Amino acid sequence: MYFILRFRMLCVCVALLVSFSLQAAEPLLNPQLRIDAGEHAAMVRRIATDVQGRWLVTGSDDKTAKVWDIADGRLLTTLRPPIGLGNEGKIFSVAMSPDGSTVAVSGWTQFNNGLYDGAADGHTIYLFDRSTGQLLNRINGLANAVLHLAYSYDGAVLAATLGGANGLRIFSASSGQQLADDHDYGADSYCVDFSADGRVLTSSYDGMLRLYRFDNNRLSLQSKRSAPGGDKPSAARFSPDGRRIAVGFDGTPSVNVLNGFDLSFSFAADTSGVDSSLLNVIWSQDGSVLYAGGQSPKQFDGVWQRYVRRWDSSGAGAATDWPVAGDTVMALASLPGGRLAFGTADPTWGVLDATGRKVVFHAQILADFRDNQEGFRLSSDGAKINFGYQSFGKSPVVFDTLNHIFLPENTPNLSPPLIESPGMVVTDWKYTFAPKLNGKKLELRPFERSRSLAMLPGGDGFVLGSDWALRFFSSTGELRWKISTPGVVWNVNISRDGRWVVATIGDGTIRWFRVADGTEQLAFYPHPDMKRWVMWTPEGYYDASLGAEDMIGWHLNRGKDKAADFFPASRFRNQFNRPDVLAYVLDTGSEVEALRFANLAAGRKTQVVSITNVLPPVVNIVTPDDGLTVSSSEITLKYSTRTPDDAPVTGIRVRVNGLAVNLTGMRNLAVAATNGESEHEISVPIPPQDSEIQLFAENRNGVSTPASLRVIWGGQQTAAEDESQFKPKLYVLAVGVSQYKNPEYNLGLAAKDATDFAAVFFKQKGKLYGDVQVRLLTDDKASKDDVLDGLEWLKREVTSRDVGVMFLAGHGMNDNIGNYYYLPYNVNPDQLMRTGVAQNDIKLTLNTLAGKAVFFVDTCHSGNALGSAKTRAIGGTTDAFVNELASAENGVIVFSSSTGRQLSQEDAAWGNGAFTKAVVEGLSGKADFQRSGKITHKGLDYYVTERVKELTHGQQSPVSLSPSGITDFPIAISGK
């Protein structure tokens, strides 16, 4: 394992940094579909913090920088500079001003999309407002990618080191004007650091350390020496008092400490047992401890991990190793209180306390496809894939892309890639720079490593996967096509029908390319939690499991001088959530043809929808800053909205702690239709507790993503209330149909499920709830009118202090365009609009409840009894409806009996369906894991998930979704 892990890092360290003399182009204007699952989707290159250690910014190859709350690890803001194709937009460097107000971001920031504007902008440093994410300024004209950024102690100047022989630049942090530079470098420079007294230190792969004095905007070289300990000093850092300098190297395990004034050697830190580079060094804030981390792995409890080495006595003392991640430690930052932040190539980031314990840790969100070439297997048509979530094929699963379900691991007729064929002998293809066909070298780009191989059935050619491309060669070695990929092609296979090249990519995706021309037609992202996934076409038609549709979205550049926008896929649900289109892609071989066939089958008009023509508004909270301490029951927000000219803002929504705020009579509310960009104020009532406020804007295209603000309650606590008088009320609408008017649709236990569900909640009367009112509708008492009356009752009765719960059991069905309907007793599936309960009726009730709204849905029996086989394959799920209900703007907590196209199981021996049995058991006390006497909705989710899996032997997987803004809360009290 050790050597395999090292090989992976080699592709990280190769710098593809070539100076261009071409003039800069404007960033792409076309929307770009990207993964954004709340964490970084590529290596974390750099991290930085403010001087007080309140915020941390991470910069990544995924072309975003993210700002986090160090205390609890919450994501606060995603910074989105303009991005382009290939490397354009990758973030190699970040810095935060000492006061935390500004974040500098750079990397590969020169654009060459073929649309030249006549301005030789070169590479760019972007300056963002840390709180709002807005782009404040940019510094352009840099000759190469920026590899490191650092602010001076007073925040007045910003230093940058560049790739190639381009050296150091120093700028005014306020104006961006260049103040000084040094071009006399022979190679890349990966580190620049300031001392408190104004000295500047750099390291360079030309082997030199350079020490400068910066006074009165003048840069003077004080000392220039070869770094003792290695040829490639990668990091050099002043101690807090400026008296010492620590240096880490690429290529050697040395970590040396030098004199801070003349670069003379002082001593070498103990690196015994280190067998690879410790690229990064940092001092603790009091200077008493030295840390280093990098490529070197070792075993901890039998698991190979990269680690941080810690030395006492300012580097001269004993060494201790702290495991942090599976891949290279790319960056370190010291924090107050002896804490240490780190970022890795996995990608992960986290915070260690003074003992090495992880107090914050953000795990990677990418499946690790490395080293599973033989285990990556396909069905003959490429529709079923067998892959592992972990390296070496561990945690294997089989996914069916036609029916959008996971299959048993032992699914038959799946084939590994062919790597041998008569007349074609490909050698040196695994982890080398020089693969050969029949002894003749195949041409790759400089520094490009071959990674994977698959041969076409019949021996007519083969495909080679590399660090950043797929290449299809003829049997004689002629290059037929080449496709750039968004990451390393770890594994590749060709379907036995000879139509599809399928590859696992380092960005965590699996992608399908036509053998004929290499054009991508389908992509699949499986989240490492082994539950969520999303699948999409190049134009953005998608399907997603429960809770997964916002893991992809559209990045829209707004020119060079503005932060880009990002719209999650859910913002375009009505136009692009098309599982029916995806079902035809592999059959037809074309996204265009798949859309045409799906529209014909659904009776839809074929209409090409452009993302830019259906944009929702963008809303931002301008003031106050996140984390404000308040003591008043009302807070005034200044917010901005931006919307397309042809779709003015028509309304504002507010939620506080997930609950809808009644806007009637609210002061300063501006809801008049507004075009373009404008600012407004609104006064929002808040409860006497820590709260999260969410602001939404809407136009005719939809609802914005929320702008969020957390406030800390610092006022007086309210006097203790009479518990019996002020307990909330619970309103339960429970609907279950087993005996339908048309007996062909009958089920076994749906009515009993509703009855038992209502009964277990009724027992909460006098416990958690002052009163429990139940409306139970079963069988012939559950007509469409009965259900609609129940919805009216629920909406009318629930107040802001109460909880409204809805339970549905029976059949559900999707119409020909994917809209969900619950099937009441008197349904006629051929007249759904007239006889079914539409999803909008349910949604408009639940998302406007004054109190908390919880929805339990168990209607995935319909695949057994309703619709044709094709209908069941492409449209018989509640996933899209559940995802919509649980979105932030709707605010409904949803418990779903199963995922995707799984069928809900019931058994007379259980007395209920598996889902309801687990819910009833959990609410009766078994979900009280903490033995606190209270059952929270998250505790119930955990119990129901595990219990249903146990009952059904893993064939049914319930899911609970909780909208952002809603924290865990008690839903029941256990015990008598």
Side-chain angles (χ1 to χ4, degrees), residues 805-820:
V805 173
M806 184 176 186
F807 177 89
L808 289 181
H811 283 306
M813 188 175 181
N814 298 86
D815 64 16
N816 64 330
I817 58 173
N819 293 316
Y820 170 81

Side-chain angles (χ1 to χ4, degrees), residues 773-802:
Q773 296 189 25
V774 172
R775 183 167 289 195
L776 176 63
L777 307 174
T778 59
D779 294 341
D780 61 354
K781 300 298 189 294
S783 68
K784 177 177 180 177
D785 286 346
D786 293 325
V787 176
L788 293 179
D789 286 345
L791 292 172
E792 288 280 2
W793 168 78
L794 200 63
K795 184 175 181 179
R796 182 176 62 250
E797 296 297 329
V798 175
T799 71
S800 61
R801 297 184 57 87
D802 302 330

Side-chain angles (χ1 to χ4, degrees), residues 655 657-660 730-731 794-795 798-807 842-856 885-887 890-895 937 960-963 966 969 971:
R655 287 186 176 270
N657 300 328
L659 300 182
L730 173 66
Y731 295 88
L794 200 63
K795 184 175 181 179
V798 175
T799 71
S800 61
R801 297 184 57 87
D802 302 330
V803 178
V805 173
M806 184 176 186
F807 177 89
I842 300 170
K843 182 185 76 172
L844 291 174
T845 297
L846 295 178
N847 75 358
T848 56
L849 290 185
K852 294 183 176 70
V854 188
F855 182 43
F856 294 80
L885 276 180
S887 61
N890 289 321
V892 181
I893 298 169
V894 183
F895 287 79
H937 80 268
S960 170
L961 299 183
S962 183
I966 297 181
F969 67 91
I971 195 172

Side-chain angles (χ1 to χ4, degrees), residues 26 83 90 136 149 158 181 186 378 386 410 440 468 474 535 546 601 605 697 710 716 736 747 759 828 866 903 930:
E26 287 286 346
I83 67 173
K90 287 184 176 180
L136 302 173
L149 291 164
L158 175 68
D181 62 11
L378 305 178
N386 184 184
N410 60 356
K440 183 179 178 181
W468 52 73
S474 71
M535 187 162 48
L546 295 177
K605 293 182 179 179
R710 184 186 59 165
Q716 293 184 346
L747 291 167
N828 179 349
L866 297 171
L903 298 181
Q930 302 299 323

